[in-house]
Amino acid sequence: MPEKTTYIILRKIPFQESGLIVSGLSPEFGRLDFLLKGVRDTGAKKFPYAELFRELSIEFRPPRTHSSGTLCLLTAHEPVASFDAIVNRIGNYLAMCDYAAFLLKHTKPMLEAPETFRALETLLFRLTTAEHPAFPVAAAKLMFLRESGFLPETFDANDSRRGRILDALLEYAADPRVPEPDLAGDYRNRLIRWVGELCSYHDLR
């Protein structure tokens, strides 16, 4: 029985003469990888939406039980959203490529990641228009850290202000309608550095 999910393409690699290995993220199943044969043939229309940072509705079959491989079988796909405008801002595009590599390295197949996926959607939306990518990328990473259990859940009385700011930043990461928290430039930069240091501390690079 095929599974159904939403899926964002984060990487595609040519395979042999006409195939692709496509990797990405879904909310219910975490990282998913597909081997698509013949999709690069001249005039082929088997997978016309195979572009980076496209969001699709897909049906797929997971690897067989007890199989050592992680490649799934894609059985159906339809477009949901396109974030192609990100390529108009080269800095944003490169930042998104770095974050995509980060996610693919640190997410696992068949392990749900709904908060990380939602933050990924929001980040892609923001990077189509944002002037500077560092802050929205840091917010998305913070959501990943929280969902993965690397972010402290409670703060003592001396850290109550930080707790409120982190809650605001997580809300910003999860919802494209939420405006950027009103923070001084120096404090924004300190938060960005702190998220990076937290990733390094947990060996997430």
Side-chain angles (χ1 to χ4, degrees), residues 1-4 34 36 46-47 57-62 72-78:
M1 189 76 177
E3 302 282 3
K4 296 182 180 181
F34 299 99
L36 308 173
K46 294 181 181 178
F47 196 51
S57 174
I58 65 170
E59 293 185 8
F60 74 99
R61 295 185 185 277
C72 303
L73 175 65
L74 186 70
T75 57
H77 58 276
E78 293 292 338

Side-chain angles (χ1 to χ4, degrees), residues 84-196:
D84 293 356
I86 197 173
V87 302
N88 297 326
R89 299 175 181 269
I90 188 63
N92 293 7
Y93 176 76
L94 293 176
M96 189 62 239
C97 288
D98 286 343
Y99 186 57
F102 174 90
L103 285 180
L104 291 175
K105 184 177 181 180
H106 300 299
T107 53
K108 303 296 183 183
M110 310 309 290
L111 184 64
E112 64 178 7
E115 293 182 352
T116 298
F117 183 86
R118 181 58 179 156
L120 173 61
E121 282 183 312
T122 300
L123 178 62
L124 284 165
F125 174 83
R126 294 192 189 282
L127 291 190
T128 60
T129 58
E131 294 292 336
H132 304 289
F135 191 76
V137 169
K141 280 190 175 182
L142 191 69
M143 183 68 81
F144 166 83
L145 290 167
R146 199 270 293 274
E147 186 168 47
S148 302
F150 295 119
L151 190 66
E153 294 185 1
T154 60
F155 297 87
D156 61 31
N158 294 328
D159 286 332
S160 59
R161 179 172 179 266
R162 174 185 283 185
R164 291 194 300 271
I165 291 173
L166 291 183
D167 286 343
L169 190 54
L170 290 167
E171 185 180 6
Y172 166 78
D175 191 341
R177 299 168 297 181
V178 174
E180 183 177 310
D182 185 15
L183 303 171
D186 180 63
Y187 196 84
R188 289 172 76 258
N189 292 334
R190 286 167 56 193
L191 275 174
I192 293 168
R193 289 194 299 270
W194 178 73
V195 171

